[in-house]
Amino acid sequence: MSSKPKTTELSGKNDGFWHNVFKHHAYLVLALPAVLILFFFNYVPMAGLVLAFKSYDYTKGIWLSPWNGIDNFKFLLQSKNDFIRITRNTLLYYVVFTALGQFLNVVLAIAIDQFAFKRLGKTMQTIMIIPVFVSYAAVQFIVMAYISSGTGIINNLLGGAIPFYRSPEYWPYILTIVKMWNGVGYGSVLYMSVLAGIDTSLYEAASIDGASKWQQIKHVTLPSLVPMITVMLLLSVGGIMHSDTGLFYQVTRNTGILYETTQVIDSYVLNAIMKNSNFGFTAATTFFQSVVGLLLMLLANGIVKKLAPENSLF
């Protein structure tokens, strides 16, 4: 009596590398443009990080310029008052923008999703996305139209002449309003895509059980958004030391008297390039930003992985 044939291994398990490449060549071709963009715009520029450890000489170029160890980092730390100010502003604006932005994104997404007139809701969504396509070079003139001392709309309404461009205390509020106006509509789109995927039978079951609209949002909608909120927060932690240069440099018109509340690390670096062309110092500053952002993202992801592994990035 012949024995039964042994079960063969799963198809493709022993396929060679080039066989798999040929087999899935269509997917590789589709992915190639994104891979090339990632390589040339994200990885190739990283070679310039050597400038952080060099005393850059125009006549010798990047590779032949002499090494100076960590002198550029020492110079950054030695400018104590400036370093403390720009780091404080960067972190505080990050916290405010992230917390308020995430809250408004979720609220706006839920409001549009629950809106009774769906077509009008879609129109509102489209209108709210438009600001993200307006460059800060144009936004600075919109802001000026509201707060300029002579002809500003706000000054005309208040019947006074508040010198906004000479008063640093007003700018945390101005920049927060501009940032929310620019990004909240676009940020809510991601959450709306999650809301669109929620099974409607969950709402129907909750309604049959007597749940009000608020209870449905609390027990069905919000729990469904938690994974996306967690991922967005984790991704944003990596940029904790980075800021929107256009917002802080162009909208404020790089006014020196406002630096106390408006200058962040990125605008400080841009200023240094424009005035001193000290590329070694600016490279050291951005290197510092990236390392701190990476470490904080790994720490945050590790905490999430311990508490809720299904919501971690990796």
Side-chain angles (χ1 to χ4, degrees):
M1 186 174 179
S2 60
S3 60
K4 293 182 179 179
K6 294 181 179 180
T7 305
T8 58
E9 294 184 2
L10 291 174
S11 176
K13 187 176 180 180
N14 293 325
D15 288 346
F17 172 76
W18 293 111
H19 176 79
N20 279 324
V21 169
F22 178 77
K23 182 178 179 181
H24 303 291
H25 66 278
Y27 301 110
L28 294 174
V29 171
L30 288 173
L32 186 61
V35 171
L36 291 176
I37 290 173
L38 185 68
F39 177 73
F40 285 110
F41 288 92
N42 291 75
Y43 285 91
V44 171
M46 289 178 68
L49 289 175
V50 297
L51 278 175
F53 306 96
K54 287 194 170 192
S55 178
Y56 183 66
D57 188 336
Y58 288 95
T59 62
K60 296 179 180 179
I62 295 177
W63 307 113
L64 297 179
S65 294
W67 296 89
N68 66 353
I70 59 172
D71 287 351
N72 291 322
F73 294 93
K74 288 180 180 178
F75 182 75
L76 172 65
L77 296 174
Q78 284 170 355
S79 55
K80 186 176 179 181
N81 292 334
D82 289 341
F83 179 74
I84 292 174
R85 185 187 73 245
I86 62 177
T87 303
R88 178 200 65 202
N89 289 343
T90 302
L91 293 176
L92 289 177
Y93 278 117
Y94 166 81
V95 171
V96 172
F97 289 172
T98 302
L100 186 59
Q102 291 288 349
F103 173 75
L104 293 178
N105 286 341
V106 172
V107 169
L108 183 60
I110 294 175
I112 294 177
D113 184 68
Q114 297 291 327
F115 199 59
F117 304 99
K118 297 299 181 183
R119 287 190 177 181
L120 183 57
K122 294 293 183 182
T123 304
M124 290 170 57
Q125 178 187 348
T126 303
I127 293 172
M128 287 182 291
I129 290 175
I130 292 175
V132 79
F133 299 106
V134 181
S135 71
Y136 281 115
V139 171
Q140 67 171 314
F141 295 107
I142 298 174
V143 174
M144 282 179 61
Y146 278 90
I147 66 174
S148 63
S149 299
T151 59
I153 296 173
I154 292 178
N155 277 321
N156 287 333
L157 288 175
L158 296 177
I162 302 174
F164 286 104
Y165 285 99
R166 297 195 300 274
S167 306
E169 64 272 16
Y170 294 112
W171 282 89
Y173 306 102
I174 295 172
L175 292 174
T176 301
I177 292 171
V178 173
K179 181 65 176 178
M180 295 304 103
W181 168 81
N182 181 263
V184 166
Y186 182 77
S188 66
V189 173
L190 292 173
Y191 296 103
M192 290 190 67
S193 64
V194 176
L195 294 176
I198 298 176
D199 191 350
T200 55
S201 62
L202 295 175
Y203 291 108
E204 293 171 359
S207 180
I208 291 172
D209 288 340
S212 63
K213 276 292 182 183
W214 167 242
Q215 290 173 324
Q216 292 176 32
I217 291 172
K218 182 179 179 181
H219 297 290
V220 178
T221 306
L222 290 178
S224 300
L225 290 175
V226 167
M228 176 61 77
I229 295 173
T230 305
V231 169
M232 295 303 296
L233 288 174
L234 285 175
L235 290 174
S236 70
V237 167
I240 189 172
M241 299 299 288
H242 291 270
S243 307
D244 198 326
T245 309
L247 176 66
F248 292 98
Y249 190 84
Q250 292 182 310
V251 174
T252 63
R253 303 176 68 191
N254 195 33
T255 306
I257 199 172
L258 304 177
Y259 282 172
E260 182 62 28
T261 59
T262 63
Q263 193 170 54
V264 292
I265 295 177
D266 285 335
S267 61
Y268 181 76
V269 169
L270 183 58
N271 237 2
I273 293 175
M274 294 294 186
K275 293 180 179 179
N276 304 321
S277 299
N278 188 345
F279 292 104
F281 167 68
T282 54
T285 307
T286 54
F287 187 79
F288 165 75
Q289 288 178 279
S290 301
V291 170
V292 172
L294 174 63
L295 293 176
L296 288 175
M297 188 189 70
L298 292 175
L299 176 63
N301 187 72
I303 294 173
V304 172
K305 198 170 185 177
K306 291 288 185 182
L307 300 176
E310 69 279 3
N311 294 334
S312 63
L313 290 176
F314 49 85

